Amino acid sequence: MFLNSLVRILPQNANFIGCFSDNEPVKEKGFQFSLPSRLFSRFINFLDSRTDHILNKKEVSELLERNGFETVDMKEMQGLTYFYCKASSNKFN
């Protein structure tokens, strides 16, 4: 609902940048572990404390595109995946 509302108020081709903690395990020195983002967890808990949201690049891309954004780039850095997208020019079609 947030993304759908956001894309409706943004002008065409407006930039939208964000990040999320990818649920894919990270390998470091032979050990596998997940790097949860405290900030992301707090944000999600603020929005909906009843649910843990586990995301990956494919799911986030699909979610953004389903809600009227065009994904330009995604990059993983230090356990977080950053995305850059634009409000679609055909968001109301």
Side-chain angles (χ1 to χ4, degrees), residues 60-76:
V60 170
S61 289
E62 290 172 355
L63 181 65
L64 290 166
E65 290 170 13
R66 220 177 23 245
N67 284 283
F69 289 95
E70 296 174 9
T71 304
V72 177
D73 192 22
M74 276 197 190
K75 184 174 185 174
E76 189 274 328

Side-chain angles (χ1 to χ4, degrees), residues 7-89:
V7 78
R8 290 180 182 276
I9 62 171
L10 289 174
Q12 181 177 330
N13 292 319
N15 295 317
F16 178 51
I17 299 169
C19 68
F20 61 95
S21 180
D22 199 325
N23 70 341
E24 297 296 322
V26 176
K27 268 193 164 181
E28 189 170 304
K29 298 183 182 178
F31 296 100
Q32 261 193 353
F33 59 95
S34 294
L35 295 173
S37 163
R38 286 188 212 172
L39 180 60
F40 177 75
S41 295
R42 286 184 199 158
F43 177 70
I44 291 301
N45 287 338
F46 172 76
L47 295 176
D48 184 1
S49 61
R50 298 168 296 156
T51 310
D52 246 354
H53 298 274
I54 299 174
L55 305 167
N56 64 38
K57 289 179 184 180
K58 182 181 178 199
E59 291 168 333
V60 170
S61 289
E62 290 172 355
L63 181 65
L64 290 166
E65 290 170 13
R66 220 177 23 245
N67 284 283
F69 289 95
E70 296 174 9
T71 304
V72 177
D73 192 22
M74 276 197 190
K75 184 174 185 174
E76 189 274 328
M77 293 187 312
Q78 298 179 351
L80 291 177
T81 302
Y82 293 84
F83 62 85
Y84 165 47
C85 59
K86 290 187 173 276
S88 178
S89 57

